[in-house]
Amino acid sequence: MKKSIRILPGTDKCGHRENYEYIDLKMGELYTIVGNTGSGKSRLIKDLEQLVNKDSVSGRTILIDGKIPTLESRLSISRRLIAHLGQNMRFVLDKTVSEFLLLHGNCRGIEDPDIGAIIDTANEITPEHIRGDMNLNTLSGGQSRALMIADIACICNSPVVLIDEIENAGIDKIKALRLLLDSNKLVLIVTHDIHTSLMSKKRIIMENGAVSAVIDRSPEEAALYERLDSEYSERFRLQTLLRQGEYLI
């Protein structure tokens, strides 16, 4: 993938055609997906992950650099193209953090990944310190997601990252998203959070299983985001003090 993903319209839950011509998603950009529970946010993520061609319940088609991937190539392309960070991260490997990173690096053709740097990167995102000798199965949800974000940024060469509810992970989402975007990833986030939704310059609104609108962030919303961002930084600082058993001052 060199330039973009294009989403062609499908239908809503009642069979009515989605009201847009196409949606282009570009590298190095952040997009948010918002809507009520059951509005179709997760379905849109799955359509992107599966590179559908009118063969999902939504009827959408996904183009990669203007082309429809063949049915035979979709699985292999998706594996290379897309990294999906779900809400519930749990490892099944009986490996230490260092062993996992070395194994994943080797699978990606990296013979000697800088494991220390990757762990340091993860520890910039989560207040729960991660060590290389920790077993994967002992990591908390926040530690697991921080480790995978660092892994995606430093080892995984998938250019597209799909994220569900990053604000529920107990990590510094500002640093996490900046890390991914600095790696020129195309990042899509499913969110219910106002601050997160306004981080992106373009947000996709879901309703009744369909894209109901694609909204560009207005100057007024950009100003609102700056205020919410300042409040988030202060709240995160206080949360860190709270977890450390300090007085909140």
Side-chain angles (χ1 to χ4, degrees), residues 39-235:
S39 61
K41 300 185 299 297
S42 295
R43 179 69 262 172
L44 179 58
I45 287 290
K46 289 179 182 177
D47 284 351
L48 288 164
E49 190 170 23
Q50 296 170 0
L51 303 177
V52 298
N53 182 17
K54 299 181 181 178
D55 51 3
S56 75
V57 294
S58 72
R60 297 187 186 100
T61 296
I62 307 299
L63 306 182
I64 305 298
D65 290 334
K67 298 179 181 179
I68 300 175
T70 64
L71 182 61
E72 295 77 15
S73 67
R74 274 160 50 175
L75 181 59
S76 62
I77 291 175
S78 178
R79 285 175 176 170
R80 297 195 312 270
L81 184 71
I82 297 172
H84 188 176
L85 195 64
Q87 291 189 48
N88 300 311
M89 295 295 302
R90 287 293 181 269
F91 292 98
V92 295
L93 286 174
D94 185 18
K95 298 281 186 182
T96 66
V97 169
S98 293
E99 289 171 339
F100 163 73
L101 293 173
L102 179 61
L103 178 63
H104 191 205
N106 291 339
C107 289
R108 293 279 180 171
I110 304 172
E111 294 184 2
D112 189 23
D114 191 341
I115 292 172
I118 299 168
I119 295 174
D120 287 345
T121 298
N123 283 326
E124 291 179 8
I125 302 171
T126 177
E128 302 176 87
H129 191 73
I130 301 171
R131 300 190 317 274
D133 61 354
M134 297 175 71
N135 190 285
L136 292 174
N137 294 305
T138 67
L139 300 182
S140 69
Q143 287 174 315
S144 297
R145 296 190 87 187
L147 179 62
M148 289 311 301
I149 288 171
D151 176 89
I152 289 169
C154 300
I155 291 181
C156 182
N157 55 7
S158 297
V160 180
V161 184
L162 310 178
I163 304 176
D164 288 336
E165 300 287 351
I166 193 171
E167 51 275 347
N168 292 343
I171 62 177
D172 189 331
K173 65 181 178 183
I174 302 295
K175 289 183 179 179
L177 294 176
R178 185 175 297 122
L179 175 66
L180 294 173
L181 293 172
D182 285 348
S183 302
N184 200 37
K185 308 284 189 184
L186 190 167
V187 181
L188 295 101
I189 304 177
V190 172
T191 183
H192 292 279
D193 182 73
I194 296 174
H195 175 237
T196 304
S197 66
L198 290 180
M199 290 178 71
S200 63
K201 296 179 181 179
K202 191 182 294 289
R203 60 187 184 271
I204 300 171
I205 314 301
M206 303 300 299
E207 182 180 3
N208 194 33
V211 175
S212 63
V214 180
I215 298 177
D216 292 319
R217 189 177 65 182
S218 69
E220 293 78 12
E221 288 177 332
L224 174 59
Y225 168 71
E226 293 297 328
R227 178 166 65 84
L228 293 174
D229 197 47
S230 177
E231 293 174 359
Y232 169 81
S233 297
E234 175 63 8
R235 187 169 66 251

